[in-house]
Amino acid sequence: MKILHVDSSILSEGSISRQLTAEIVATLKQAAPGATVTHIDLAAAPLTHLTAAHLGAAQGAPVPSALEADVAASKGALADFLASDVIVIGAPMYNFSVPSQLKAWMDRLAVAGVTFRYSEKGLEGLAGGKKLIVASTRGGVFSAGTPMAALDHQESYLTAFFGFLGITDVSFVRAEGVAMGPEAKANAVDAAIRQAHALAA
Ligand SMILES: Cc1cc2nc3c(=O)[nH]c(=O)nc-3n(C[C@H](O)[C@H](O)[C@H](O)COP(=O)(O)O)c2cc1C
């Protein structure tokens, strides 16, 4: 089993999503000791915004020399994604969506003819068969049925995007309301850690 461990919080000390992805990956490793783990830290090594040159390069066009290193990183990101069986993503809510570093990485995964295609039958995701576990952290509360639920463009976006690539086995380990006082934060983190252990075991 190949595990791809992706962190995107811009914080290191005190990041709850990083704590949760570490718990999830450690539990997965306990259950499958032979599993390999590739860790990507998108805050420490961000990919740049997508440009026309990146799109061209993905379709085989010559790469401008200024973009060579970035395009190589992009190819590596896609290869790691395609090779993985289980993907664990730390995805804090930033301004109702995901960190732009995570979005930049996702932009490199959507490659026509590789991870998705449109045909006469419509859209087809080509990267199915993988399991995705998202460690979702939020200052407020946005779960289904709550007054702020319509403002969730983080979990809903991740579900839609990876569904577009064919990944439908998606689970969320969620710590929300972490900005609503120390007790709310401690309870949310404890519950998420229990959920992480149960899910990954
Ligand atoms: C730049 C930034 C933007 C944020 N935007 C939101 C937001 O829109 N809604 C929300 O509920 N919390 C928001 N938060 C709070 C984070 O979601 C929360 O602190 C979470 O724990 C961050 O994940 P981390 O602990 O892994 O860094 C924001 C935090 C930061 C740093």
Side-chain angles (χ1 to χ4, degrees):
M1 180 167 77
K2 288 190 171 136
I3 301 169
L4 181 60
H5 174 180
V6 181
D7 281 313
S8 67
S9 171
I10 56 174
L11 303 176
S12 42
E13 281 297 301
S15 161
I16 300 165
S17 63
R18 287 176 185 272
Q19 184 186 355
L20 292 175
T21 58
E23 294 282 351
I24 294 164
V25 170
T27 310
L28 287 170
K29 279 280 285 175
Q30 253 169 26
T36 60
V37 181
T38 301
H39 185 218
I40 302 176
D41 187 336
L42 296 171
L47 292 157
T48 61
H49 286 286
L50 199 63
T51 65
H54 292 103
L55 281 186
Q59 300 301 324
V63 178
S65 54
L67 278 186
E68 268 170 14
D70 190 58
V71 167
S74 179
K75 283 188 178 153
L78 181 62
D80 287 340
F81 171 73
L82 290 172
S84 63
D85 303 300
V86 182
I87 305 157
V88 179
I89 300 179
M93 177 184 273
Y94 283 176
N95 303 314
F96 306 107
S97 183
V98 297
S100 54
Q101 290 87 345
L102 180 54
K103 173 68 166 63
W105 178 74
M106 291 162 65
D107 283 341
R108 307 301 178 93
L109 303 183
V111 180
V114 179
T115 51
F116 75 93
R117 74 172 160 226
Y118 285 100
S119 69
E120 62 285 351
K121 287 182 263 160
L123 171 66
E124 197 185 343
L126 302 176
K130 300 178 192 303
K131 182 178 180 62
L132 171 62
I133 305 176
V134 178
S136 163
T137 50
R138 301 153 156 188
V141 173
F142 300 85
S143 288
T146 63
M148 301 272 275
L151 296 180
D152 167 23
H153 305 291
Q154 170 217 17
E155 293 189 12
S156 60
Y157 171 56
L158 292 165
T159 304
F161 177 81
F162 286 101
F164 162 65
L165 303 187
I167 301 175
T168 51
D169 183 352
V170 183
S171 310
F172 290 92
V173 169
R174 180 183 306 122
E176 64 179 351
V178 301
M180 296 168 69
E183 198 181 331
K185 178 179 177 178
N187 289 340
V189 173
D190 284 353
I193 288 174
R194 280 198 301 277
Q195 201 191 347
H197 291 164
L199 192 76

